[in-house]
Each structure stands twice: as C-alpha cells, then as structure tokens.
Amino acid sequence: MIEKLKNHIALNFPLLETKKLLLAASGGLDSMVMAHLFHKLNYEIALAHCNFQLRGMESFGDQNFVQEYAATNSIPLFVTQFDTKAFAEDYKLSTQVAARKLRYNWFYELLETEKFDYILTAHHADDNLETFIINLTRVTGLEGLTGIPEQNEKVIRPLLLFSRQEIENYAKENTIQWREDSSNTSDKYLRNKIRHHLVPMLKELNPNFLSSFHKTQTYLQEAQAMVEDASIIVYQQVAKRDEDNIYFDLNQLKKLPNYKSYLYQWLKEFGFSAWDDIYDLVESQSGKQVFSPEFRLLKDRDSLILSPMNFVNEKEEYLIDENQKEVKIPLNLSFCKVADISIVSNKTIFVDANKLQFPLVLRHWNDGDVFQPFGMEGKSKKVSKLFKDEKLSLIDKENTWLLCSNNEIVWIVGIRQDNRFRIENETQNILKIQLE
C-alpha cells in the first residue's frame, strides 16, 4: 500500500513533496492509516482533530487517543471542540452538515494562521461509492455522479484509490490502532444503511465492483469535463457582464437545442434550486424573478439578468448641505460653482443654484414621482414612464437615485435633468453637478 501511495502521489500530486500538510485525524481507521503513511514517508505533517461532542465521553476518548498518538510520534497536533448540536439548531442545519461546516471552517483557519499548504482527508473508494449512491437517490446533475474529487482547492484526498478493505488490511499488518465510532453501527443514517446493506450486495454480485465503479466514474468525469468545456464556449456567445450583473441573451439562448442544460451549468454555482421556475423564466413576461439565498435571476424583455441580492430600502435618503463639495455615498457626486456652462451629458448637469432649496435630498424613486424633462417647458412626465421609454430593467430602476430640492426632482441621476432648474439668460449663480 505504501508503494502504491508513493506512485500515486508522484503521478498525480508531486506538488506535495515539499509542502506543509495538515491531516484531518478523527482517530478512526482511515485517518490513522493516513497519518501513519505520511509520517512514514517523512512528509512535513501536523494533525487536526475536531471534538464535535456528539457521543459523550466517547468523543473525549477519541480526542485523548489522537493526542497520545501525536505525542508518541512527535507529530504537531491541533485540537478544537465544538458545540455541534447548538450550532445546528442556531443555523437550522442537520447535525452532519453542521459538523462538516464547523470542521472545514476550522481547517481553513489553520491553513491561514499556521501557514499550511494543503489539507488532507482520508476519504477512500468505499466513501466515494456511498456518496455516488446517496446522490443517485436525490435530484442531481451529472457532477453529482462524478464522485468525491481527489482535489478541491486546498483539500486533497490521497486515499481515494484504496478500498476500505485495503486500508483495514494495512492497519492490521502494521499493528496500527484506531478508534471505532459507535454511530457507524447504526442504520439511523442513510450512509450507514448503504454501507451495511446495499454495498455488500453489490460486491456480492460483482467481486470487482469497486474497480468497475472506478472506471465508470472516470467516464462520467470525462463527460462532465466535455460539458464544462462546451458550456464555456456557448457562454461566451450568450452572456455579457458588467461590474455587478450577468446578462443572458434569450434570442441566442433559445437557438440552442438543450438550453436548459446550459442554464443549469451556468447558474448552479449561484445557489439556485428551483430549476423548473428558472426554465419557465425563458418564456415568462418581463419582471418575473427567481431567487437563491444570495442572487436573483430576472426576466427583462429579451434577457435574463443575474445579479446579487441588494435589498433596497425605499426610505433610504441622504441630505446634501449648501456648502458640501462632494458626496461619496450612495453615489460619487461633486458640486462646484462655475462661471459658464460646458458640455451637458447624462453624468453632468448645470443648474441655477438660486432655484435650489437646501438641504438637497438624494433618494430612491417612488411610483408616483413626476418631473419636467429638460427642454420640455411646462410638460410633466412620470418617472416610471421615463424608465419604460429608456427600457430600464427592474435592477436598473432599483439602482436609480433622484436628486431633489423641496420635494421637486432636480435630476434623475445619470439619466435626465429636470427643466425647472435649468440655466436661463438671467442666471447668475451656476452650480455644476457631476456623477463621477
């Protein structure tokens, strides 16, 4: 086993040779074999043990066991304890998900503070098979069937090529001690049901099942790589982005025979789960939205717009004093007195300062807002109608600010000036306002 691991590292992870490695050590069979192997191969390692306090004194027995092993073998050790049940209740998580979050958050903290290069976990081939079956019982895309990745950013799983039986045989041959987790014997958890009942049946049907499964997963991973390559090429044809948003051209998208698959590939990383609702957006009316915890997808005419969730407080407003030269929040505006006007644009206006009443107010627009468009003497127009004429999306509307004087609109910032505050022949006090 040790030669097989050496060859595997040399072929797939030669970068580990000179790195500082943090090994996750639960005290169980897999992690203790991994610790033994990397210690014997003279890698620079340290162990990290999490006490989740889920099994009473047994959890502290695991902690003591790992501490004794580290001390005996002169291996640096980091230990932490979590109130996992309280964390799970606070964040409405299952105990297993809560433990995973706590565990990896702490690992990454150690990676940063203690200057480790990689985290190593002891997942093996049977773990990979169990994960595949779990995903198979749920709604999943192709990537859900490709198994546990050998490397995920800074996390490396060097034992995935070994079966549980190989690991146990090695432990017995080398008199490696480990702790048994009593919860592993319970069929309370889905993974244990699969481990105790389904996997033995599959291995009985085909003694080489793990080997066959590994080949199948290799084919699935290759297919997933092809899908990802294709999605990148098509993305460049369909999507455009600015600083905050991604715009998907629906006319281009609907030319694709499998556009739903592309949407799934592009949007899965943003936390969406209501896939049928997302697919329905393509043919929905403008204004329809689908939300993930941190993003939203908006149908706007011939586009789908992906944007981060920015919760707009319609009552949010900012006051601007008469002597104020600039505003940094929520927009970068500058104010200065000038003798003459220069070029007027969407980002620069010139107003008669004597017509203003301070403090000016910078606020969001409301449905009933009315203004007099620049150059249209005495004619009023709803701000909402201007937005429609300008074909602004809902996101653009939410990000639009109004500069007001005594409840009258001076400027729909960056879009249109109000005619009532224009420069006239008799104007003597000109104020230049610019959106930087």
Side-chain angles (χ1 to χ4, degrees), residues 25-29 49-68 79-81 178-186 189 192:
S26 66
L29 168 65
H49 177 79
C50 304
N51 182 346
F52 296 106
Q53 302 188 78
L54 293 172
R55 293 175 286 114
M57 294 307 298
E58 186 178 336
S59 293
F60 287 93
D62 294 344
Q63 178 180 323
N64 292 335
F65 172 78
V66 175
Q67 287 172 326
E68 290 175 6
V79 175
T80 191
Q81 298 175 4
W178 71 88
R179 294 271 296 179
E180 290 289 355
D181 183 340
S182 62
S183 66
N184 288 337
T185 62
S186 171
Y189 303 108
N192 286 353

Side-chain angles (χ1 to χ4, degrees), residues 37-268:
L37 287 167
F38 278 84
H39 183 53
K40 195 167 185 179
L41 290 171
N42 295 318
Y43 281 89
E44 183 180 359
I45 65 171
L47 306 182
H49 177 79
C50 304
N51 182 346
F52 296 106
Q53 302 188 78
L54 293 172
R55 293 175 286 114
M57 294 307 298
E58 186 178 336
S59 293
F60 287 93
D62 294 344
Q63 178 180 323
N64 292 335
F65 172 78
V66 175
Q67 287 172 326
E68 290 175 6
Y69 175 86
T72 300
N73 292 278
S74 301
I75 301 174
L77 171 66
F78 300 90
V79 175
T80 191
Q81 298 175 4
F82 298 117
D83 189 342
T84 310
K85 288 185 177 179
F87 182 84
E89 291 174 2
D90 289 344
Y91 290 92
K92 305 295 188 292
L93 301 171
S94 70
T95 303
Q96 289 175 309
V97 171
R100 177 181 172 80
K101 282 184 175 291
L102 290 168
R103 179 190 193 205
Y104 279 98
N105 286 345
W106 182 58
F107 286 165
Y108 274 102
E109 286 178 14
L110 289 176
L111 205 69
E112 182 70 24
T113 59
E114 302 298 328
K115 308 303 180 186
F116 287 100
D117 295 297
Y118 293 99
I119 301 162
L120 271 56
T121 68
H123 294 90
H124 50 69
D126 287 76
D127 291 326
N128 202 8
L129 173 58
E130 292 160 9
T131 299
F132 172 90
I133 295 172
I134 290 171
N135 289 340
L136 192 63
T137 65
R138 300 168 178 169
V139 178
T140 183
L142 178 59
E143 77 281 359
L145 303 179
T146 56
I148 302 172
E150 285 193 311
Q151 182 171 359
N152 187 3
E153 296 179 350
K154 292 292 186 177
V155 179
I156 293 178
R157 303 170 179 92
L159 302 190
L160 278 176
L161 74 162
F162 299 106
S163 69
R164 178 180 284 111
Q165 190 61 56
E166 286 179 283
I167 292 171
E168 185 173 342
N169 291 344
Y170 180 84
K172 291 178 179 177
E173 290 167 4
N174 291 273
T175 61
I176 299 171
Q177 294 183 321
W178 71 88
R179 294 271 296 179
E180 290 289 355
D181 183 340
S182 62
S183 66
N184 288 337
T185 62
S186 171
D187 283 349
K188 175 183 176 181
Y189 303 108
L190 174 60
R191 182 175 291 274
N192 286 353
K193 289 180 181 179
I194 292 170
R195 179 179 301 166
H196 298 154
H197 306 290
L198 183 55
V199 171
M201 187 182 301
L202 292 171
K203 290 180 178 179
E204 182 180 341
L205 292 172
N206 179 4
N208 296 317
F209 183 81
L210 272 182
S211 176
S212 300
F213 170 70
H214 176 72
K215 291 180 181 178
T216 298
Q217 278 212 316
T218 299
Y219 300 147
L220 289 171
Q221 289 163 1
E222 291 171 352
Q224 176 65 16
M226 288 173 53
V227 168
E228 291 173 354
D229 290 344
S231 73
I232 292 171
I233 295 171
V234 176
Y235 178 89
Q236 294 170 345
Q237 301 168 0
V238 173
K240 294 181 180 179
R241 65 187 308 158
D242 58 23
E243 186 175 350
D244 298 313
N245 309 309
I246 301 175
Y247 302 83
F248 298 99
D249 185 329
L250 289 178
N251 292 324
Q252 292 295 323
L253 182 70
K254 288 191 285 188
K255 292 178 183 178
L256 303 171
N258 299 306
Y259 71 79
K260 293 180 180 179
S261 299
Y262 286 107
L263 280 177
Y264 174 82
Q265 196 70 22
W266 296 330
L267 298 174
K268 62 184 181 181

